[in-house]
Amino acid sequence: MTKRVVLIGHPVAHSLSGAMQQAAFGHLGIDARYELWDRSPAELAEAIAELRTEDFLGANITIPHKERVVPHTDRQSDDAHVTGAVNTLTREGKKLVGHNTDVPGFKVALDKLVGKQKMPRHAVVLGAGGGSRAVVYGLIREGFQRVVVFNRHLHRAESLVKHFARSSSHMDLRAMPWHESIIEAELSKAKVLVNATSIGLNEDEAPIPAEILTPGLLVLDLIYSPTRLLRDAQAAGCATSDGELMLLHQGAASFTLWTGQPAPIDVMHAALIEARAHGITSAEGEPASPEPASAEPASPEPAGA
Ligand code: NDP
């Protein structure tokens, strides 16, 4: 019987995750299908309940449900527990275990960007959603001494900081209101900037003005495309990286959790590149930019339920 893995988000239209996971199943001869489920927050509980049957290997959880899904799990891995965010579900009988593979994914992306550089361990993070939690936890674990989180709704950044109170007790983690002058002041002292908002995902917009980017800053955008922020940063003399490595490595870790097998990384990477060539630009399952009605289907995976 064909097993099922689903991506639950809202909205989900096209998915790079679908392309790379389906390619990995195919490569290893695993009879499994990756489906897209568009479920609003009000429909989340019912969708999660459906996963408790033998048909399912598990699921990916994406924007905006990564924090909301936690109470629907029976148990959480250490990374999911510490971050309070879940992007992967596995099934043990009727029980669901929540994992956070964004954490190892972000580590690979950060290592590539920072390399062996000796530098002030001071970072600015834009955004305080589920993705940001993996980022902040990764920065704490990598020995950053000061991390400042800016978010449109300050209370969300404050509750993120509160959530990490214990694991960040040795360093300076703080939430600050989203004011350009305050972001500029923090950026002038920082070495790393991470965009963990979804600004730039569907529109060609940057979360902050180009003028406040300082040369030499290392800029990582979790979005998997050459966003306006990344283009501005390159023009300002910053080193930049997009969300590709994080997406690839979180997906590889999820694949191993579902199947118990090492992920065929090269196959998954090739599928990502191929999917992008077909016009899919969204990182995880968010809506891609509107396509003309006559365009070829952009995604190799079956349509979502
Ligand atoms: P969430 O829905 O949990 O959080 C969204 C974040 O974006 C919040 O901080 C939200 O602020 C902010 N935001 C959204 N729209 C605006 C706006 N118009 N102005 C200001 N702030 C805004 O999503 P995730 O954390 O799961 O994902 C965030 C981004 O990171 C997405 O683009 C996603 O694709 C990407 N991502 C990529 C990964 C990868 O593997 N490459 C992994 C994880 C995420 P507020 O709280 O104020 O609403």
Side-chain angles (χ1 to χ4, degrees):
M1 184 186 62
T2 302
K3 296 284 188 187
R4 301 164 73 186
V5 178
V6 297
L7 170 69
I8 303 177
H10 184 62
V12 288
H14 297 87
S15 167
L16 288 166
S17 289
M20 71 176 172
Q21 298 295 357
Q22 201 62 56
F25 292 141
H27 181 75
L28 293 179
I30 296 169
D31 185 12
R33 188 176 68 219
Y34 194 93
E35 302 171 12
L36 309 182
W37 286 9
D38 186 334
R39 297 291 186 272
S40 69
E43 296 166 321
L44 183 65
E46 202 180 318
I48 300 296
E50 277 189 62
L51 304 177
R52 297 177 187 273
T53 62
E54 290 221 334
D55 290 9
F56 292 91
L57 290 178
N60 274 144
I61 306 295
T62 190
I63 187 172
H65 300 314
K66 285 180 182 176
E67 295 152 88
R68 204 174 274 117
V69 76
V70 175
H72 299 288
T73 60
D74 299 289
R75 186 164 69 75
Q76 294 117 42
S77 70
D78 289 348
D79 284 346
H81 180 70
V82 179
T83 55
V86 159
N87 79 328
T88 303
L89 293 172
T90 53
R91 191 178 53 77
E92 291 176 357
K94 283 194 178 347
K95 299 206 160 158
L96 292 175
V97 184
H99 308 261
N100 192 325
T101 68
D102 284 339
V103 171
F106 175 69
K107 182 177 168 23
V108 177
L110 185 70
D111 285 352
K112 166 109 189 295
L113 187 65
V114 171
K116 298 215 182 307
Q117 285 187 63
K118 292 251 179 294
M119 55 177 215
R121 313 291 275 183
H122 178 170
V124 166
V125 177
L126 305 176
S132 172
R133 285 177 172 240
V135 168
V136 169
Y137 183 50
L139 293 168
I140 295 171
R141 281 218 304 212
E142 290 302 307
F144 274 69
Q145 282 132 15
R146 181 175 165 90
V147 175
V148 183
V149 182
F150 291 93
N151 199 51
R152 172 177 57 176
H153 295 102
L154 178 61
H155 67 88
R156 202 172 178 191
E158 286 172 338
S159 67
L160 180 152
V161 166
K162 203 166 155 203
H163 182 88
F164 286 109
R166 195 182 294 179
S167 38
S168 66
S169 58
H170 60 288
M171 46 84 71
D172 186 7
L173 171 65
R174 59 179 67 196
M176 287 193 183
W178 190 295
H179 289 308
E180 223 173 275
S181 58
I182 308 179
I183 300 176
E184 182 174 15
E186 282 304 318
L187 276 182
S188 68
K189 293 178 269 177
K191 186 67 193 174
V192 170
L193 167 67
V194 181
N195 178 36
T197 74
S198 40
I199 303 170
L201 185 62
N202 295 311
E203 284 89 31
D204 192 30
E205 284 173 10
I208 52 174
E211 304 77 68
I212 66 173
L213 293 164
T214 47
L217 200 61
L218 307 177
V219 181
L220 173 62
D221 197 328
L222 299 199
I223 297 171
Y224 178 26
S225 58
T227 56
R228 180 140 191 189
L229 173 67
L230 293 179
R231 298 194 318 270
D232 288 347
Q234 279 156 13
C238 309
T240 63
S241 207
D242 71 15
E244 175 191 20
L245 265 186
M246 180 168 173
L247 181 70
L248 178 63
H249 285 269
Q250 63 79 27
S254 299
F255 179 89
T256 298
L257 286 168
W258 297 321
T259 65
Q261 300 200 38
I265 287 263
D266 292 346
V267 171
M268 295 172 87
H269 194 192
L272 275 185
I273 292 167
E274 164 87 15
R276 286 192 75 191
H278 281 76
I280 305 177
T281 56
S282 58
E284 286 186 288
E286 303 80 354
S289 344
E291 288 168 61
S294 60
E296 289 287 304
S299 162
E301 72 270 71

